[in-house]
Amino acid sequence: MSHNMGSIRQLCTSAMLLNNGQLVAQGNVEETLGIYLKSNIHANGLLATYKHQGTLVNSIQFKEFSINGIKNQEAVFSPSDQLIVNLQYSCKQAVPKFRSSVNFYKDAVLVFTIQNKPWPAALAEGDYNESFVIEPNLLRPGNYTIGVGGHDGDPISAGHEWIYIDEAYSFYIASEWNDVNDFSAKGLINIPHKPL
């Protein structure tokens, strides 16, 4: 059982969609995923409907996630698009140390994590809206999923307080090739060549 679109597409030859234990659809992977993504079962980007895990679930609630303003569907982007990642959350009870993070997975492999600040800081009660920029041509074509979270850990020590939502959003980078996004290149991300 999985909600990871990339893994399902890569590993499965057929799929079943269940909702509260009831069979909704069964058959072709792409058709079944299409039903899932268009249904209310999948609330892509609307984080309040997802299960929050961790020690901070009573203090912080993630509300919404979007990329370039798209929040409720499986989005498709060009590799040459600049991606504006937006995370909205509320702090219901002040937290002494916190920094938010967004994890990018491709085919169930963690590619990278971006955080809103280098060191955790006090988080007061209130609503927060944070944006991150992913430069054009960094992500190679394929399926990606997003995990959102936050913690009190810093660059030199592990934290003890955390919150996380796994597979909170999914998107696809189209198979478009150019001189920066070279078809023959290998790896999970592109690092543009800059002469010395």
Side-chain angles (χ1 to χ4, degrees), residues 89 95-102 113-124 128 130-132 151-155:
Y89 60 95
V95 176
K97 289 172 48 177
F98 185 78
R99 65 178 173 166
S100 64
S101 61
V102 178
T113 299
I114 51 178
Q115 296 174 328
N116 69 325
K117 55 186 84 161
W119 292 85
L123 189 69
Y128 293 85
E130 298 173 344
S131 294
F132 309 89
H151 54 86
D152 64 350
D154 59 49

Side-chain angles (χ1 to χ4, degrees), residues 9-177:
R9 284 184 171 109
Q10 185 178 23
L11 300 172
C12 300
T13 57
S14 63
M16 290 176 25
L17 173 60
L18 301 174
N19 186 18
N20 295 322
Q22 300 296 314
L23 182 66
V24 175
Q26 181 176 0
N28 175 282
V29 170
E30 287 304 320
E31 290 173 8
T32 305
L33 288 179
I35 292 167
Y36 172 67
L37 293 168
K38 291 180 176 109
S39 70
N40 290 328
I41 299 166
H42 179 70
N44 199 16
L46 304 176
L47 302 180
T49 63
Y50 281 74
K51 181 179 179 194
H52 293 58
Q53 302 173 52
T55 60
L56 294 173
V57 295
N58 294 321
S59 301
I60 294 170
Q61 181 178 26
F62 292 109
K63 292 180 169 183
E64 191 173 283
F65 182 89
S66 66
I67 297 179
N68 292 358
I70 300 171
K71 59 187 171 193
N72 58 1
Q73 57 189 328
E74 185 169 280
V76 177
F77 301 104
S78 169
S80 60
D81 289 343
Q82 180 183 57
L83 304 180
I84 308 297
V85 175
N86 185 261
L87 175 62
Q88 296 177 22
Y89 60 95
S90 291
C91 180
K92 300 178 279 185
Q93 179 180 350
V95 176
K97 289 172 48 177
F98 185 78
R99 65 178 173 166
S100 64
S101 61
V102 178
N103 296 334
F104 285 73
Y105 296 88
K106 183 174 186 212
D107 300 325
V109 174
L110 178 62
V111 179
F112 61 88
T113 299
I114 51 178
Q115 296 174 328
N116 69 325
K117 55 186 84 161
W119 292 85
L123 189 69
E125 291 181 20
D127 293 328
Y128 293 85
N129 186 352
E130 298 173 344
S131 294
F132 309 89
V133 175
I134 307 300
E135 294 300 327
N137 296 305
L138 179 68
L139 298 178
R140 293 192 48 79
N143 296 297
Y144 291 83
T145 55
I146 298 291
V148 297
H151 54 86
D152 64 350
D154 59 49
I156 59 172
S157 65
H160 301 286
E161 302 294 328
W162 61 280
I163 186 168
Y164 193 72
I165 299 176
D166 191 28
E167 299 177 356
Y169 188 90
S170 59
F171 68 99
Y172 184 78
I173 298 293
S175 296
E176 298 173 7
W177 311 103

